[in-house]
Amino acid sequence: MEQLLDTAEKIRTMQIRGAGRIAMAASAALRDYAEDLNVHTLEEFNVSIKKAARILVDTRPTAVSLPNAVMLTARHSSITMDEARAEIIANANTFIEHADQALDKMGRIGARRIRDGDVIMTHCNSHAALSVIKTAYDEGKDISVIATESRPRRQGLITIRELNDHGIPTTLIVDSAVRYCMKDVDTVVVGADVVTINGALVNKIGTSQLALAAHEARKNLIAVAETYKFSPRTLYGDLIDIEERSTEEVIDPEILAGLPHVRVKNPAFDITPAEYIDLIITEAGAFPPEMAYIVIKEHLGWDLTDME
Ligand code: RUB
């Protein structure tokens, strides 16, 4: 349990972050927990797995990759404890392998949409978006990137380091420079925390501003999302829970304490409607956002009635 709690804490404090990495870490944590779980009956085993799954899912509320990964890992149809344990271990290994391969596949599929000479704008730090950008570059395309800082956690600094290390010419901008710089951009490429049933994209706060500016300037916006970031929950009308993070990420608490009439809001994600998204790149192919339902139904690999 200690190891699982450690992973949960790392996700909560964002030492492990990004929807894909969170999903893989949670799946691995549940696998290791199941492997070491020392109980006597299948019932006890199931109760403990359910509790552990809850701890992981409760760490961050928005990225659906987390509950999807946990559910795909924890489900089993075994009637003995040893079989259930083996099934969960196999589920996790399959999920993690699939997630790893998905990044490569999305890179190759997405890179086809990047032309020689393109200037790409990206936001926050998305392994999926970076896979597309790096693959296009590795294929010999002469591209450059405009990366946003992504306040307040400044994940853009991780992105520029990664792009720099890959040799890709990169310009860092503050988030408020997005619209001003859009004239220089050919394509916007971003990651995803959730793709909803109606093709809306939930991603780092500010993504919808990039989308609005891209739409206004008639530039394409591509979202890159593994199929496990599509949300079957939204099929049942569930609302997406947008994470509100600590105000301390935005302003020094001592300064805030001296401003009794001021309150601070720190939403971590926002929602971009489908009409601002030109294409969603998944490991199963490139889809218009209107096809989100098909992706959920055919590629997520579970029975949707499970969700009821
Ligand atoms: C990260 C973020 C990323 C998506 C996709 O937010 O919004 O764009 O999670 O990332 P945070 P990836 O830093 O708050 O976790 O493509 O790596 O899964």
Side-chain angles (χ1 to χ4, degrees), residues 87-151:
E87 211 177 317
I88 289 175
I89 293 168
N91 285 345
N93 291 338
T94 305
F95 178 80
I96 293 164
E97 197 189 330
H98 172 96
D100 252 342
Q101 289 171 355
L103 274 177
D104 284 347
K105 283 188 194 157
M106 294 187 302
R108 286 197 299 275
I109 296 168
R112 289 189 204 134
R113 302 288 168 160
I114 308 294
R115 290 153 305 191
D116 194 36
D118 272 1
V119 177
I120 298 159
M121 184 180 277
T122 192
H123 187 51
C124 193
N125 176 256
S126 157
H127 298 85
L130 285 176
S131 176
V132 169
I133 295 168
K134 286 182 191 168
T135 307
Y137 181 80
D138 292 345
E139 286 174 355
K141 289 174 185 160
D142 177 19
I143 57 169
S144 62
V145 176
I146 298 177
T148 58
E149 181 190 20
S150 310
R151 279 274 292 155

Side-chain angles (χ1 to χ4, degrees), residues 14 17-20 60 124-128 155 191-193 203-204 229 269:
M14 292 177 65
R17 47 148 300 282
R60 290 193 77 188
C124 193
N125 176 256
S126 157
H127 298 85
Q155 292 94 329
D193 283 81
N203 192 48
K204 181 53 56 195
K229 293 176 184 165
F269 299 96

Side-chain angles (χ1 to χ4, degrees), residues 44-220:
E44 285 175 296
F45 180 84
N46 285 341
V47 168
S48 300
I49 290 291
K50 213 170 172 178
K51 262 195 207 151
R54 189 78 262 154
I55 291 169
L56 290 165
V57 167
D58 284 346
T59 50
R60 290 193 77 188
T62 301
V64 75
S65 53
L66 178 57
N68 281 357
V70 167
M71 183 165 167
L72 290 167
T73 304
R75 66 176 180 178
H76 71 82
S77 53
S78 307
I79 47 167
T80 70
M81 191 171 72
D82 285 345
E83 278 171 20
R85 198 193 306 274
E87 211 177 317
I88 289 175
I89 293 168
N91 285 345
N93 291 338
T94 305
F95 178 80
I96 293 164
E97 197 189 330
H98 172 96
D100 252 342
Q101 289 171 355
L103 274 177
D104 284 347
K105 283 188 194 157
M106 294 187 302
R108 286 197 299 275
I109 296 168
R112 289 189 204 134
R113 302 288 168 160
I114 308 294
R115 290 153 305 191
D116 194 36
D118 272 1
V119 177
I120 298 159
M121 184 180 277
T122 192
H123 187 51
C124 193
N125 176 256
S126 157
H127 298 85
L130 285 176
S131 176
V132 169
I133 295 168
K134 286 182 191 168
T135 307
Y137 181 80
D138 292 345
E139 286 174 355
K141 289 174 185 160
D142 177 19
I143 57 169
S144 62
V145 176
I146 298 177
T148 58
E149 181 190 20
S150 310
R151 279 274 292 155
R153 298 288 297 222
R154 306 180 86 199
Q155 292 94 329
L157 301 186
I158 308 173
T159 295
I160 59 166
R161 186 166 293 281
E162 221 172 310
L163 290 167
N164 177 72
D165 292 350
H166 211 79
I168 302 176
T170 301
T171 305
L172 174 69
I173 60 169
V174 295
D175 301 328
S176 44
V178 159
R179 187 164 177 240
Y180 177 77
C181 294
M182 194 54 79
K183 59 183 180 312
D184 305 323
V185 171
D186 297 293
T187 305
V188 176
V189 180
V190 291
D193 283 81
V194 188
V195 179
T196 69
I197 189 71
N198 59 352
L201 167 71
V202 182
N203 192 48
K204 181 53 56 195
I205 189 79
T207 302
S208 66
Q209 284 175 172
L210 264 76
L212 208 54
H215 187 73
E216 177 193 47
R218 295 188 163 69
K219 307 294 170 79
N220 282 337

